Amino acid sequence: MKRTKVIDALKRTDFGSEITVMGWVRSKRGSKGIFFIALNDGSTIKNVQIVGEDEKFPEDTVKLITTGACLRVVGTLVESPAAGQASEVQAKEIEVLGACDNTYPLQKKGASWEYLRTVAHMRPRTNTFGAILRIRHNMAMAIHTYFHEHGFYYFHTPLITASDCEGAGNMFQVTTKNLYDLKKDEQGKIDYSDDFFGQQVALTVSGQLEGELGATALGQIYTFGPTFRAENSNTPRHLAEFWMIEPEMAFYDKQDLMDLEEDFIKYCVRWALDNCRDDLEFLNKMVDKTLIERLEGVLKETFVRLPYTEGIEILQEAIRNGKKFEFPCQWGDDLASEHERYLVEEHFRKPVIMTDYPKEIKAFYMKLNEDGKTMQGTDVLFPQIGEIIGGSVREESYDKLMAEINRRGMETEKLEWYLDTRRWGSCPHAGFGLGFERLILFVTGMQNIRDVIPFPRTPKNCEF
Ligand code: 4AD
Ligand code: MG
């Protein structure tokens, strides 16, 4: 008989029919010769209850029905007398597809996040990670749907590249050279001409530069792919391998850009509320009691639009009133997460789009303001998260862009293709990057970015 997924089994009302379900035992309890199994197959956070009488099954089979075991159950769908579930399955036949002995690492309830990270290869089988991973999938669908519906094209930018978009030098090198036998010239430099690509290359830190080529041809594009950063940031907000969504739009100015950032994030949050209700309710109960309230709250708020300079004034005022920060926040300083969170969580109590940053703390490609000091960046700061989006209007003038590149002492040799966008038919344009895992952190209420991606990569950790 064809298998019915648990999510569908729970909706069926044809009581009395025969049904086959398969899944993993979440728990088993019993009394007076009757056992109750909570079976889950990943299709939903909810379990289907299997009821059986010990004496109807071989003793060997019953013994093998333990937490974590994989079962095939054939039985009768019946109306459930128990609260909280409409139906259950009265088992007629149970086959143990995969037994699970007491070395199974997920036997105990209430294991810590830290412990679960050590068994990250098995944790998708827990309720919480099941919920997170289904939400993660849904957010990817929301993102593709949003852009498709708004006339953006999904543009695939390369993962292996020779250019450091953010200019921070945090790149993972890609080479086929024998590292045990590296030859250097008299200046101590490595000759890459005989390397696979004939030059020094690395994993991308952002698809933006190539994305700009797409936007200045197709009008509006987005990327959605893995991104790599070798920054030694051991924080709950940083991964060495994360996923980024980078839309890039021709003919957008700063206002258009901020409107898109706000509309896009709200669309994703609304999608979660509309499509991930069971998982959100589970997380709201088990992980964060204010989660759903916070998600609904964001939809109601209009994001504050705050120039950096005004942000610094607010922080200075807070310090004068006795607020203590660990890091300095004079005009010109890069804001730390404590500053961002003060503005968002304490001062405004709603998301903030911070704009017009000092050029010294931002990347070379941002459009310079008339004051010659600030650039048209538009970062979105979120409660609990801090920076969730980094974006900007791009400098479209070849001369101004070159002046900034020269001021920074950057090499242009590997950027000529990028500069061609400004050489030929340059156009005003803008874009942003959303950190996918930071969005998932917000939508799930989880605290650590290592717990919203199946296999986290962080400094000194590349297991599984
Ligand atoms: O602010 P970032 O560095 O901006 C860029 O890379 C631009 N090229 C984007 C663009 O304009 N197209 O990164 C964008 C976002 C951040 O706001 C953050 O959400 C996320 O990417 N991010 C990280 N997420 C997890 N781990 C890390 N190490 C991250 N670094 C950035
Ligand atoms: Mg940034």
Side-chain angles (χ1 to χ4, degrees):
M1 201 198 344
K2 218 169 158 265
R3 163 194 172 220
T4 303
K5 281 196 242 156
V6 170
I7 191 169
D8 299 323
L10 295 174
K11 286 183 204 143
R12 275 174 61 169
T13 51
D14 53 332
F15 302 124
S17 311
E18 191 157 273
I19 185 170
T20 300
V21 288
M22 301 189 200
W24 294 270
V25 176
R26 281 286 197 264
S27 65
K28 182 185 164 216
R29 64 193 167 81
S31 67
K32 299 187 194 123
I34 298 182
F35 59 80
F36 301 89
I37 304 165
L39 200 71
N40 187 284
D41 67 356
S43 59
T44 162
I45 186 81
K46 295 188 173 146
N47 305 317
V48 63
Q49 174 154 283
I50 313 291
V51 189
E53 287 161 55
D54 286 327
E55 58 172 36
K56 290 203 180 145
F57 299 91
E59 210 175 306
D60 290 352
T61 304
V62 176
K63 255 195 233 151
L64 288 178
I65 305 173
T66 52
T67 299
C70 185
L71 308 183
R72 178 176 154 275
V73 178
V74 183
T76 312
L77 187 73
V78 297
E79 210 163 342
S80 176
Q85 58 192 29
S87 57
E88 58 186 39
V89 176
Q90 226 137 42
K92 288 196 273 195
E93 193 188 315
I94 297 181
E95 184 187 349
V96 179
L97 300 173
C100 186
D101 67 16
N102 62 10
T103 56
Y104 182 52
L106 303 174
Q107 299 201 81
K108 286 202 202 82
K109 288 205 160 137
S112 69
W113 304 123
E114 288 79 6
Y115 169 72
L116 289 172
R117 270 171 231 146
T118 68
V119 288
H121 58 310
M122 298 304 293
R123 67 182 180 172
R125 287 201 205 169
T126 63
N127 289 330
T128 307
F129 282 89
I132 293 165
L133 295 175
R134 278 185 296 272
I135 292 173
R136 193 178 157 104
H137 159 81
N138 267 281
M139 287 298 91
M141 297 308 292
I143 288 161
H144 284 301
T145 307
Y146 180 88
F147 287 124
H148 182 67
E149 283 177 353
H150 287 77
F152 287 66
Y153 300 107
Y154 185 18
F155 189 69
H156 294 98
T157 50
L159 299 190
I160 301 176
T161 175
S163 54
D164 180 359
C165 171
E166 294 305 298
N170 291 326
M171 302 183 89
F172 289 103
Q173 271 199 59
V174 176
T175 180
T176 51
K177 271 182 167 288
N178 179 357
L179 298 180
Y180 293 101
D181 185 25
L182 266 187
K183 294 194 182 56
K184 295 182 181 171
D185 67 11
E186 298 90 75
Q187 281 97 49
K189 286 204 164 154
I190 298 164
D191 177 12
Y192 285 96
S193 62
D194 62 349
D195 199 354
F196 189 91
F197 294 105
Q199 58 173 323
Q200 187 178 11
V201 296
L203 295 177
T204 189
V205 295
S206 160
Q208 176 195 324
L209 301 189
E210 290 89 352
E212 288 185 47
L213 299 174
T216 54
L218 298 169
Q220 30 191 45
I221 62 92
Y222 70 103
T223 73
F224 187 171
T227 309
F228 307 88
R229 296 202 183 169
E231 49 193 338
N232 203 354
S233 302
N234 242 318
T235 80
R237 308 271 173 269
H238 288 88
L239 289 166
E241 178 182 293
F242 62 101
W243 288 65
M244 185 152 53
I245 296 94
E246 295 184 275
E248 191 72 33
M249 297 72 63
F251 317 118
Y252 264 50
D253 63 14
K254 193 172 77 183
Q255 191 64 42
D256 301 327
L257 178 64
M258 291 189 291
D259 289 346
L260 181 74
E261 290 175 345
E262 180 167 346
D263 190 55
F264 169 60
I265 295 206
K266 285 181 169 170
Y267 181 91
C268 293
V269 171
R270 197 174 303 116
W271 183 291
L273 287 165
D274 290 347
N275 296 282
C276 309
R277 204 70 208 188
D278 290 345
D279 289 321
L280 285 179
E281 276 169 11
F282 175 81
L283 294 172
N284 197 75
K285 195 162 89 192
M286 305 301 287
V287 172
D288 178 348
K289 301 258 182 304
T290 60
L291 174 63
I292 292 180
E293 189 188 310
R294 208 167 49 245
L295 297 181
E296 284 168 349
V298 159
L299 296 185
K300 287 190 212 115
E301 300 294 1
T302 303
F303 297 4
V304 175
R305 296 172 183 201
L306 178 74
Y308 168 93
T309 301
E310 284 176 32
I312 291 291
E313 283 161 13
I314 292 170
L315 292 167
Q316 292 293 333
E317 175 70 19
I319 292 171
R320 277 194 295 278
N321 291 331
K323 177 83 194 164
K324 296 258 185 298
F325 293 113
E326 191 182 339
F327 297 100
C329 54
Q330 300 292 333
W331 197 94
D333 290 332
D334 205 355
L335 294 189
S337 141
E338 57 176 346
H339 306 127
E340 294 171 346
R341 293 185 62 172
Y342 172 81
L343 292 170
V344 173
E345 290 166 22
E346 294 181 48
H347 187 81
F348 291 107
R349 295 173 181 271
K350 49 176 126 168
V352 170
I353 307 184
M354 185 168 271
T355 65
D356 305 290
Y357 290 83
K359 63 180 177 183
E360 310 300 336
I361 60 172
K362 286 292 178 192
F364 75 96
Y365 50 71
M366 294 192 186
K367 187 177 175 73
L368 198 61
N369 279 319
E370 307 248 297
D371 63 12
K373 291 195 304 193
T374 57
M375 285 176 144
Q376 294 191 14
T378 58
D379 288 2
V380 180
L381 312 179
F382 249 49
Q384 313 279 318
I385 311 293
E387 182 190 326
I388 192 164
I389 278 183
S392 80
V393 182
R394 318 305 188 192
E395 183 55 76
E396 85 259 26
S397 147
Y398 177 86
D399 292 339
K400 287 188 189 162
L401 187 61
M402 274 313 290
E404 189 59 25
I405 286 174
N406 290 331
R407 190 180 74 81
R408 291 173 189 238
M410 292 167 61
E411 288 174 25
T412 51
E413 193 192 329
K414 289 175 182 166
L415 275 179
E416 288 303 332
W417 57 268
Y418 177 71
L419 293 168
D420 283 349
T421 53
R422 276 60 167 180
R423 276 192 188 102
W424 299 313
S426 186
C427 75
H429 63 291
F432 67 79
L434 167 78
F436 189 50
E437 286 73 20
R438 297 209 183 159
L439 174 69
I440 309 297
L441 274 178
F442 181 72
V443 171
T444 59
M446 295 295 289
Q447 295 291 320
N448 195 309
I449 201 162
R450 293 166 179 81
D451 300 331
V452 294
I453 186 167
F455 304 103
R457 268 81 182 94
T458 49
K460 301 283 182 287
N461 170 36
C462 191
E463 240 187 299
F464 315 115

